[in-house]
Structures are given as structure tokens and as C-alpha cells.
Amino acid sequence: MTIIIDAYCTPGTERETQLSPRQLLRMMDDAGIDRAVIAPQDREIAVCNIDGNQRILEMAEQFGERFIPACSVNPWLGREGNDIFSAAIEAGAKLLVLAPALQGFNLGDELTDELLALAGELSVPVYIHTGPHSSSAPSQLLLVAERHLSTHFILGHCGSSDYSHDMPAVFSVAPKNVWFEISLVRPWAMASYKEMADPSRFIFGSYAPRNDPRLELQYLNREMPRERYPQVYGDNLLGLFQGAKK
Amino acid sequence: MIIDCHTHWSMDQWPQNKPDPETWWDVPGRHGIDHAIVLPLAALTDDTKLQLENDRIHQVCRESNGRMIPFCSVKPSQGDPAVAELQRCTGKFHTRGIKIHPWLQGTCVNTSHMDRICEVAGDSGIPLLFHDGTPCVSLPSQIGLLARRHPKTTMILGHLGLMEHWREAISVMRKESNIWGCLCGPHVAAIKEILQRCDRSRLLWGSDYGFGNVDPIDYRLDLLKIQNLKHGDMEKILDHNPKRLLSL
Ligand SMILES: [Zn+2]
């Protein structure tokens, strides 16, 4: 059996993401998760990019193989943001996280173009949170993904919950550079989603500590058994990292 | 006792003239649910079905030996016909509440039409359960404004802000004492904070069961169970609060 990688966790110190790295490791052990992507917490994604990236990189270094560090940069920083992003990748970050609702921009516009092009050049996949707000709908992610075909995108949460109505249309036209991360997708929604896209496109993530990884895995396993869909639990994500240059 | 305060029954899925509760109840029964608030579904997207679905829901609930508790729906923006349909449901069926899904029904919350529905609901002593958690017509704060204008009407946030507006839902519940919240939608960490900061005597639990043959009940119950609440608090949310809400 292939390993299990959790595509999104937030070991943070504030609000609903208070979770020490050791607590996260215990959660992972309890759920049978081998490795996890760790991402900065909300404030660090919104305004304290450098501090957040550094905190996550240090944590990954301290705990070795089990954590895969992600970084974030607010696109409003422009060129300076591109430098912050490049520096984080240079220091070992494997994934760029954008959260339009937190960072105060609309994914449907051109603000992110330079940053996304740079991610493509560096072969760093970009995880973008989508949600029920109007800053980052799945349809908006398609707009940027179609403009940046050499950049790999992970559509976080599949628009959960109310953009689920758009997902059939999104699945049917999504270009090859888009993968679908399924944290916050309710287990019963996966029953229909799995019929609409190839298993090679789905990526398991728990979104801990907002969700409980053990519970999420248990219910996902009912809809998409690990024996039948091993790639969803780790290999699809790993494949994205293997394309990275650094 | 477990009372599921957010389920749906759809006339599209159960098209028989004489609706039979047993098949629908299979899933709740399997999970040890004792009662369920049953909300319309097909009529939320097609208002030509409103009257018929209201009829059928009250019929199927009547056949359920008290297990299923009927709510009706109306489309507030229709004006007089909406008020008339609500009065028909309260008069003829003694409906126990009203479901409003603002974005599916194309209805804004802060309108004079909605005010009229709230007045009738308040006079009849029945609550309104809203879909909430999504812009631009279903934010908890929008429902909070409505609740402020109608302090005698009880309103329920049917999803407590879902995944992103749950902090807003907490603020609204703390401000407006006639707002209740149904734990049906927010994630584990949000539920934890809602439990810490909201008046637990106005919290309910719901599964949103009733969409096709999917079974969300055990997952949504697990989201509550892993909070390790004291028995008394679980009892409040699953049993005592809904009974008080519905005068059961
Ligand atoms: Zn519902």
C-alpha cells in the first residue's frame, strides 16, 4: 500500500488553528498518516508572510521527513512578493498557498499573474483555497489556470460547500493543470464527485485542526476505499512535488 | 433522545400520492434518531411545487407516528400569496415552522415581504429556519438584522454560518436572543468554538439528511460526539432544546 499524505494542515498558534507540531504528529499517528503538508496560519497568510514562511520552514526542518513545508505570499505585495516566494522556495518550501478571501483579492482578476507565472517557472504547485465567498470560486480558479497552463493548481476544498453546484461543470472543463483537494468536501459529495473526474485528479487533505484527520480518513475510505484509489491518498500529490525543480 | 433538526423531504424523490414515511425513515431509524424536523426541498427550487409539497410533507409527517415534524415553506417575495400559503399551513396543518432558503428561492432577507412572513410566524408562535452561511442573501448577519426587527419571532441559523461565516454566526447569536443555531455545516474546530461562546440552550443539531440516498447522519453526529461534551450538554442540544423550541 502506498503512503498517506495529508495535503493541508495548519499547525498554528491562534484562533481555530492552535496546534503544536507534536500534537499534529500525534494526530497523524492516530490516523495512520505518514506525511503532511504544513501551511502558515491565517494571519501569516494575510499579512505576516515572511514570519509565517520561516516558522513553517523551521518546523519542517526540526521534524524531518514527516512535514512538507508550504509557503504563502500576498499577491498585493507585487514584485516584493515574488521575492518572498522565491526565497521561501530556495529555503525548501514545496507549495505556494493563496487564500484570496484572507488576502483580500479576487482570484478572477489579473493581480496574481506574475506570481503564478513564477510558480510555473519554478515548478511549484499552487494551492488555492476556494469557498462560498465571491473572492475565490472554482470558476474563478479555472480562469487563472487556463491562463497559466504550465503552472500546477490545486483547487482547495472544491468550493465547499455551496459552489458544489458548479463542480460538475468545473470537472468537465478543467484543464490538465488542475487537481482537486477534497478537505471540507463532505463524504457523501465525494460519492458523486468521484464519478466526474479521474482518480488521478483528487488529493486527500484533512485541513487539520479544523477537521479531525482520523474521522475524515475513515469517511473518505467508505466512499473511495484506499485499496481502490491509493493515488488519492498520496501519490497524486507526490507527483506534483516531483515536478518541482528545487 | 435524539432530535434531528435539519432534514429534507422532497416530493420529487417521493412522488407517490400517499407518501409513506417508512422508507424515508430507514436511515434516521438506523442511527437511533427519535424525531426529525422535516423541511421541504423540491419547492425551494420550483415554487410551482410549493403547495403540493407542503401538503405532502404534512401528510407524510402525520403518518409517521409523531417521529417526523413538518415545516412548510413559502416564497416571501410573492407577497400576498406567500402570506396566504403560510396561513393555510398554520391553519390547516398546524405546521411547526417555516423553512426559507434565500438564495435557492431568490429571496432577500431584509425586505418588507420577509417582514410580513416574520410577523405571521411570530403571531403563530412558530420559528423560521434559514439556510445561512452564503453570500449575498444568506449571511448570518443579514438574518440577524431581520431578527432585530422581529424580536418576538424565533429564527434558526440552519447551518450556523457553514465553513466560513461561523464566527459571524457566533456574533449574531450572542447579540440577538431570538436567534437559535443548528450545528449542521461548520467543521470540528468551529463547532468547538460555537459550543464555548454561544448560549448552549439555543443550540440544536441537524444532519441535512434527505438529499437522494446519501446518509450524512453518522458523520454529522460524529462531529458532535468528538467534542466530548458532558452528557448534560449533549442532552440539551439533541433533546431538550429542540423540545423547548417546538413545545414538544
Ligand atoms: Zn438543508
Side-chain angles (χ1 to χ4, degrees), chain B residues 169-180:
Chain B
I170 291 174
S171 300
V172 169
M173 270 197 70
R174 288 168 68 95
K175 188 159 171 50
E176 314 296 345
S177 58
N178 54 331
I179 293 250
W180 293 48

Side-chain angles (χ1 to χ4, degrees), chain A residues 175-196:
Chain A
K176 290 271 171 275
N177 57 329
V178 178
W179 282 258
F180 303 98
E181 190 264 358
I182 58 179
S183 65
L184 297 184
V185 175
R186 292 318 187 193
W188 49 94
M190 280 314 296
S192 54
Y193 286 1
K194 73 180 180 202
E195 308 298 334
M196 297 179 205

Side-chain angles (χ1 to χ4, degrees), chain B residues 16-55:
Chain B
Q16 317 83 311
N17 283 333
K18 269 189 167 275
D20 160 32
E22 294 310 323
T23 328
W24 186 93
W25 191 263
D26 262 0
V27 176
R30 185 162 8 109
H31 294 296
I33 307 293
D34 296 282
H35 294 282
I37 288 179
V38 184
L39 314 169
L41 186 59
L44 302 179
T45 48
D46 179 354
D47 46 72
T48 63
K49 292 175 177 163
L50 268 170
Q51 283 201 7
L52 189 55
E53 192 165 67
N54 284 338
D55 286 349

Side-chain angles (χ1 to χ4, degrees), chain B residues 198-213:
Chain B
C198 290
D199 174 4
R200 291 186 186 184
S201 66
R202 284 182 281 135
L203 288 176
L204 310 164
W205 169 84
S207 70
D208 225 349
Y209 165 66
F211 287 83
N213 49 14

Side-chain angles (χ1 to χ4, degrees), chain B residues 7 13 16 22 30 34 51 55 57 73 92 94 130 138 144 190 210:
Chain B
T7 73
Q13 200 190 345
Q16 317 83 311
E22 294 310 323
R30 185 162 8 109
D34 296 282
Q51 283 201 7
D55 286 349
I57 281 190
S73 191
K92 185 174 172 190
H94 306 292
F130 286 90
S138 308

